[in-house]
Amino acid sequence: MRRLALALAISIWIGACAAPAAPPAAPHASAMRAFESDKAFVAFMRRVPRRERFMAPPASPVMMDVVPAPAPPPSFGEPASAVAVAPAQDVTVTGAKSTSITNTQEADVDEGGIVKVAGDHLVILRRGRLFTVSLAGNRMRNVDHIDAFPPGSSGDAWYDEMLVSGDRIVVIGYSYARGGTEINRFRIAPNGKLAFEDSYHLRSNDYYSSENYASRLVGSTLIFYTPLSLNTEWPLDALPGLQRWTGKPDAPFARTLPITRLYVPEPLRRKPDADLSTLHTVTLCDLAAPRLACRATAVLGSSSRTFYVSGAAVYVWTDSDRTATARSGAFVYRLPLDGSAPGAVQAWGGPVDQFSFAEDRAAKRLSVVVRADSAGDAMWRPEHSDGAAALLTLPIGAFGDGSRITNASAYRPLPVGEESWSFHNRFVGRHLIYSAGIFNEHKGTSIVYAVPLSGGVIARIAVPHGVDRLDIIGVDAIAIGNDARERLGFSAIELTDTSRLGDSYFLPAAHEGERRSQAFFFRPDEGSPNGASGMLGLPVTRDLGNSPVARFLGSGSAVAFLRRDARRFSPAGELVANAESARDDACRASCVDWYGNVRPIFLNDRLFALMGYELVEGRVAGGLVGERARLDFAPTGGR
């Protein structure tokens, strides 16, 4: 649970065994089988061993010393066709030309966050309230604020993520009291005024991850991934359902998961002691519908999970029971967004976070970075991984009924050092970049690896500082972290056939102020689509004595900007919060900034720094950012 201290949450799970020879791959069907009736599902679940439920920690992944030994490559046949999904509006991968203000992993998939754009307004989610700020007329003006939960509700939930589609705003929250995900819809008028529309309750366990986001938006389709622990005695009562909020806690749930949309891999159907304690559920909702309508697809597996959403599918990686004779131990599920049946394949190890995945729709394949010891992306678990690493390449056609064991030839071993539990990875164009070390490691040199996805030599690139963040700047990558002199370093990684270290810049006496991926943004100049020139923003803190774990909840006191001109960095100034102006907001719901509270915002030709309840607009003159205007939108009098 989120209430546990971070130091306790980031635990170390380590085991050991050797990787035995691979058994022959069994033929596989094109997809998994679903249950044919409620009766068949109940009978199946009563054969499943009883296990600890309600978000019990996953079984410790087994540490393998090496990547599985190579074997003859399998024949997968023709890969499945890619699925075309209408692109979302105002969504961008960092570095792409767009008016979006959100740094997202996929170009056509928006992610839940704390600030979005609706017409001429910024919509901000903070501490259980929604706020709107007008940007019309080249000014900033407070417009409205409203509770992020239904009128008359106690608001006893964590309200973490927000998305905007047209004139609808959706706020996603999790309630421990009710044991489920809240979906609260609001309308925004052309003048920025907010009105509560309706609220729903989705049966689930907590979706929280220190790295990932639970909600996505593709067009007007709202996409959730949620885990749900099963009660093996009364399994039908635990299936995913949607309850419309009426103020009555005993309002009925309508099942969103037909039993014919619940799937199990064939090997787990046959295994008497399989860990099938969790429903991994993907729920699609039509956000534009007058009354929210949702449908779910689910797969059974263990409680560990890491998930990734492309524009065509949701991928879920679950660890499973491992023994001294097993060479796989994990299942990878692919749940297509077009509603077709999901598929599964067995694999080794586990990804660190959602950035360990990349789907290439044109080539019809999935790339995944895996480590021997990885506990998934639930809660604080992505902050620690260990053991051997590899780049796995899976054709989409490999996903079938789950019988297929991925051949060792699909894994490309990746070098990692001994002290490598803090792992960062990003796919940038035709390269994977990654770095492994110790969290908050202030050092003179770190190694970033650049791996060509088409094969070729892995580049070993020494950067002159630690690495706590990897991101994208146009066609290149950037590594960010501190050196031993408490300087925050920014180093470009120029990705070519012979990738190399580009320019580096050091911000004196500064630490990174936020860990969330959306806290970073790079905007290329209009005439520089490859990102050789542009500007980046990142929250920083000057309180060097502050605990490094504070950045997980937002400790930024300023947004620092850097110019990049012809691939050379230069300081562009900072927009700084006014701590003296802070006042009591009489917070009564969601009073911890689990997703941070500082964001650089690039909107058309304007730039801003969102810092808590302050919105500061910058003016660029001579390549430097100075303060143009400042707005405090904090509620007054507890309202």
Side-chain angles (χ1 to χ4, degrees), residues 185-196:
R185 296 199 302 177
F186 301 82
R187 288 293 185 104
I188 180 170
N191 63 1
K193 290 292 184 179
L194 296 167
F196 171 77

Side-chain angles (χ1 to χ4, degrees), residues 525-539:
D525 290 348
E526 188 171 348
S528 181
N530 65 355
S533 298
M535 184 175 287
L536 68 83
L538 179 74

Side-chain angles (χ1 to χ4, degrees), residues 86-320:
Q89 298 298 312
D90 287 330
V91 182
T92 186
V93 172
T94 301
K97 182 181 177 182
S98 174
T99 58
S100 171
I101 61 171
T102 303
N103 172 8
T104 61
Q105 183 178 8
E106 294 288 336
D108 52 359
V109 184
D110 200 5
E111 302 164 350
I114 64 169
V115 58
K116 301 290 178 183
V117 174
D120 291 330
H121 298 86
L122 288 182
V123 185
I124 302 162
L125 173 65
R126 177 125 211 269
R127 291 165 65 89
R129 295 183 177 100
L130 278 175
F131 301 84
T132 52
V133 174
S134 171
L135 302 179
N138 206 29
R139 299 188 305 123
M140 296 188 296
R141 178 174 57 86
N142 283 331
V143 177
D144 202 5
H145 70 269
I146 192 172
D147 286 339
F149 45 87
S153 168
S154 61
D156 56 346
W158 296 107
Y159 299 101
D160 301 313
E161 303 182 17
M162 170 192 51
L163 289 156
V164 173
S165 177
D167 66 347
R168 273 197 172 91
I169 302 166
V170 60
V171 174
I172 314 303
Y174 185 79
S175 171
Y176 284 106
R178 291 181 292 280
T181 298
E182 279 192 24
I183 307 169
N184 300 323
R185 296 199 302 177
F186 301 82
R187 288 293 185 104
I188 180 170
N191 63 1
K193 290 292 184 179
L194 296 167
F196 171 77
E197 183 175 16
D198 53 15
S199 178
Y200 299 84
H201 180 208
L202 192 68
R203 192 183 282 133
S204 77
N205 295 143
D206 195 355
Y207 51 73
Y208 181 78
S209 168
S210 62
E211 297 285 345
N212 210 342
Y213 304 91
S215 59
R216 304 292 197 275
L217 189 67
V218 177
S220 63
T221 300
L222 187 61
I223 303 167
F224 292 99
Y225 164 80
T226 51
L228 182 58
S229 297
L230 281 179
N231 186 320
T232 54
E233 293 180 359
W234 306 102
L236 293 178
D237 294 341
L239 291 180
L242 191 69
Q243 176 195 67
R244 192 168 190 267
W245 185 81
T246 62
K248 299 177 181 178
D250 57 349
F253 277 87
R255 255 170 60 178
T256 56
L257 177 69
I259 210 66
T260 53
R261 296 292 299 169
L262 201 168
Y263 298 83
V264 187
E266 288 305 309
L268 296 184
R269 279 182 181 269
R270 299 190 297 264
K271 189 176 180 181
D273 60 345
D275 183 354
L276 296 173
S277 58
T278 303
L279 270 180
H280 299 277
T281 307
V282 173
T283 303
L284 306 182
C285 304
D286 182 4
L287 191 56
R291 179 162 179 162
L292 198 68
C294 301
R295 56 186 173 87
T297 303
V299 293
L300 278 170
S302 68
S303 61
S304 74
R305 45 82 167 172
T306 310
F307 76 95
Y308 155 72
V309 184
S310 75
V314 178
Y315 293 88
V316 182
W317 187 297
T318 69
D319 189 42
S320 188

Side-chain angles (χ1 to χ4, degrees), residues 232-492:
T232 54
E233 293 180 359
W234 306 102
L236 293 178
D237 294 341
L239 291 180
L242 191 69
Q243 176 195 67
R244 192 168 190 267
W245 185 81
T246 62
K248 299 177 181 178
D250 57 349
F253 277 87
R255 255 170 60 178
T256 56
L257 177 69
I259 210 66
T260 53
R261 296 292 299 169
L262 201 168
Y263 298 83
V264 187
E266 288 305 309
L268 296 184
R269 279 182 181 269
R270 299 190 297 264
K271 189 176 180 181
D273 60 345
D275 183 354
L276 296 173
S277 58
T278 303
L279 270 180
H280 299 277
T281 307
V282 173
T283 303
L284 306 182
C285 304
D286 182 4
L287 191 56
R291 179 162 179 162
L292 198 68
C294 301
R295 56 186 173 87
T297 303
V299 293
L300 278 170
S302 68
S303 61
S304 74
R305 45 82 167 172
T306 310
F307 76 95
Y308 155 72
V309 184
S310 75
V314 178
Y315 293 88
V316 182
W317 187 297
T318 69
D319 189 42
S320 188
D321 297 330
R322 296 187 187 178
T323 67
T325 58
R327 78 173 272 274
S328 54
F331 283 86
V332 192
Y333 300 93
R334 184 179 191 270
L335 293 85
L337 296 181
D338 67 353
S340 56
V345 64
Q346 296 182 59
W348 167 88
V352 174
D353 55 27
Q354 76 271 27
F355 293 115
S356 302
F357 296 80
E359 182 190 69
D360 186 331
R361 272 174 266 176
K364 301 176 182 177
R365 66 178 176 229
L366 177 72
S367 298
V368 191
V369 182
V370 295
R371 300 205 70 186
D373 185 0
S374 176
D377 68 3
M379 299 298 171
W380 306 102
R381 291 172 187 146
E383 307 310 325
H384 182 280
S385 64
D386 218 327
L391 174 61
L392 168 63
T393 302
L394 284 171
I396 299 302
F399 290 87
D401 67 359
S403 298
R404 172 77 69 189
I405 297 177
T406 302
N407 198 287
S409 62
Y411 300 89
R412 182 180 187 182
L414 301 175
V416 289
E418 292 184 3
E419 295 289 348
S420 62
W421 59 266
S422 183
F423 193 91
H424 307 278
N425 52 187
R426 287 298 295 260
F427 287 90
V428 184
R430 303 304 305 159
H431 286 80
L432 160 70
I433 59 168
Y434 72 95
S435 182
I438 298 173
F439 172 70
N440 197 44
E441 190 172 19
H442 296 193
K443 57 190 295 189
T445 304
S446 298
I447 302 300
V448 174
Y449 297 93
V451 184
L453 298 183
S454 57
V457 177
I458 298 176
R460 187 178 186 272
I461 302 166
V463 299
H465 49 75
V467 177
D468 283 325
R469 179 186 291 271
L470 293 173
D471 220 300
I472 304 171
I473 50 173
V475 297
D476 298 327
I478 187 169
I480 301 173
N482 279 95
D483 70 359
R485 295 164 57 186
E486 302 288 359
R487 301 181 302 174
L488 185 60
F490 300 78
S491 291

Side-chain angles (χ1 to χ4, degrees), residues 482-556:
N482 279 95
D483 70 359
R485 295 164 57 186
E486 302 288 359
R487 301 181 302 174
L488 185 60
F490 300 78
S491 291
I493 309 296
E494 297 182 4
L495 299 173
T496 63
D497 292 338
T498 55
S499 298
R500 64 185 183 89
L501 177 68
D503 193 33
S504 295
Y505 174 79
F506 290 90
L507 190 64
H511 292 170
E512 188 177 7
E514 287 239 1
R515 282 275 295 174
R516 285 279 168 184
S517 60
Q518 293 181 18
F520 173 90
F521 202 97
F522 174 77
R523 182 177 68 182
D525 290 348
E526 188 171 348
S528 181
N530 65 355
S533 298
M535 184 175 287
L536 68 83
L538 179 74
V540 298
T541 178
R542 301 291 181 174
D543 183 1
L544 304 188
N546 202 357
S547 167
V549 301
R551 72 188 66 173
F552 287 95
L553 305 180
S555 61

